[in-house]
Amino acid sequence: MIRTIAKEIKEYKWASIVTPLFMLLEVLMETLIPYLMASIIDKGVNAGDIGHIYRIGGLMIVAAAIGLLAGMAGGRFGAKASAGLAKNLRESMFGHIQTFSFANIDKFSTAGLVTRLTTDISNIQNAYQMVLRMMMRAPSSMICALIMAFAINRRLASIYLIAVVFLGIILFFIIRHATRYFQMAFPKYDELNASVQENVSAIRVVKAYVREEHETSRFQKASENIYRIFVKAEHNVIVNAPLMQFTVYTCIILISWTGAKMIVSNELTTGELMSLLTYCMNILMSLMMLSMVFVMISMSTASMERVCEVLNETSDLANPVHPVHEVADGSISFSHVNFSYKKDSAEPVLKDITLDIRSGETVGIIGATGSAKSSLVSLISRLYDVTAGEVRVGGRNVKDYDMASLRNQVSVVLQNNVLFSGSIYDNLRWGDPNASDEECQRACRLACADDFIRSFPDGYNTHIEQGGNNVSGGQKQRLCIARALLKKPKILILDDSTSAVDTATDANIRRAFRNEIPNTTKLIIAQRISSVQDADRILVLDEGRINGFGTHEELLASNEIYREVYESQTKGGGDFDERTGD
Ligand SMILES: Nc1ncnc2c1ncn2[C@@H]1O[C@H](COP(=O)(O)OP(=O)(O)OP(=O)(O)O)[C@@H](O)[C@H]1O
Ligand SMILES: [Mg+2]
């Protein structure tokens, strides 16, 4: 785990190395100062030697200045190294997420990925900064101070040792207890983010269903959970400070008391007592810092684990060693394909699918919701891999193709497609970054989007808001179709992509497809029989199995499901469009 994270330090290695060195320098200066102080008091003040006071005083100023500069430099490089690590981690993680298959993304929730990219990485950043600055500083400061204290007076210094051991043991238990709570806290952030993310991205739905209160209370619950855990954790940590104070003051009293008696009997000088007291503070401060470092480390191990989980996740779809880049034609064949989303699920979503589609053919796909229409087509552009059997495109197994090439030549308009913020041109060019304005407009004419785009004041430069919220559902669908057409695919798959378009426009789009892109294989998933009726063949799916595959007439004659749906849509109770349609 550490190795995975450490790999991301990269160009900040240098900053990571010098930070502890600077901190060490600061510690050395800090240890030197009380020693010089003792010398000023004993040899300068008590002996009345003004020259000595000036000399050593000057040295003290220099030492303080060096310490200050070293501390500042350490802080600066520490910040640079830790922020750099966070930056590299985020970039790696983001880049890695881009390689994820749909199955990988299903595994981590979107909210989970967001928390890992933000909160968890920030934790690692803070912990790393703390470790760089304190891991060297605290122990070395403690050791230096102990050495100096022992050099000055063995008997008094042993008081420290007892205090250090006593505090160490207590801290160990406090931290172990607190760690448990911190580790519980981070998964709770996922819940919080899930609530925020779902709510904000679907704020319109929330409002339409007057679910604001429900959503608010869900958020409050998530947020209160985190509050409770942190308060509990901090309750444990907070004992730290008073305990430290108590020990520090006990030590000071003990040292002053024994020290005073020793001064009286001439075993110790005033200066030595002064510096012993300062070392006492140094030692206990270091111990406190160390305890904070441990808390941070324990907090961040939970985060590190979560980040590594993502970084070490391998995409379960791999490009073949010698990928094929060109799809020969638009033919598709399934042979005995079984498919399930989860490896261990009892019943597959698609069961024993075998079918052949010729290049250039138009195939309609219908079936009840949940009959696995979307699942079937997602296998063609290899958004998921089959569980058993084989899917061939252009005569070759889809696993033989370079994934990017395959997806460029098999264009899918997903069922819940989205537009991105940017102009209409920007959105269209997702299909083909090099498309000229004319090509974009041609694709829009094919998708019957040209008319409404021209009716906007800014035409093709109209700004689309995030998610495409400022165009209607049917307009959005047509823009998505145009975007898919710009890829000039060999296979075009429309997953319920004209559901929000009126029947007349729907028919126009299909007519344009027939006339303008006759050689492209077209798969059209639809709920309306009218959308698929004029296709070359129609596939009827039922609970993941092929129930019928033939022309409209053949199916009407032989397929029960098809006939029922057809009758319900053409006679009473069917599709609204169908009765009033063109
Ligand atoms: N990402 C997923 N993870 C797990 N199960 C899924 C996933 N997507 C779909 N399923 C399940 O697979 C089955 C088929 O879903 P699919 O989306 O293919 O149906 P569909 O025919 O496209 O339905 P609709 O007409 O409503 O779009 C359903 O039972 C669904 O619960
Ligand atoms: Mg679907």
Side-chain angles (χ1 to χ4, degrees), residues 259-268:
K261 284 206 295 199
M262 287 169 116
I263 292 178
V264 172
S265 59
N266 267 338
E267 284 172 76
L268 193 76

Side-chain angles (χ1 to χ4, degrees), residues 509-529:
I509 295 175
R510 274 178 286 128
R511 191 175 314 121
F513 282 0
R514 209 163 35 238
N515 299 333
E516 305 284 331
I517 47 167
N519 297 324
T520 304
T521 310
K522 289 156 289 249
L523 301 191
I524 300 173
I525 298 179
Q527 301 290 346
R528 288 191 298 232
I529 297 266

Side-chain angles (χ1 to χ4, degrees), residues 22 25-26 29 60-72:
F22 274 120
L25 186 60
E26 192 192 7
M29 293 303 128
M60 260 175 92
I61 291 177
V62 173
I66 294 179
L68 182 75
L69 288 178
M72 269 160 52

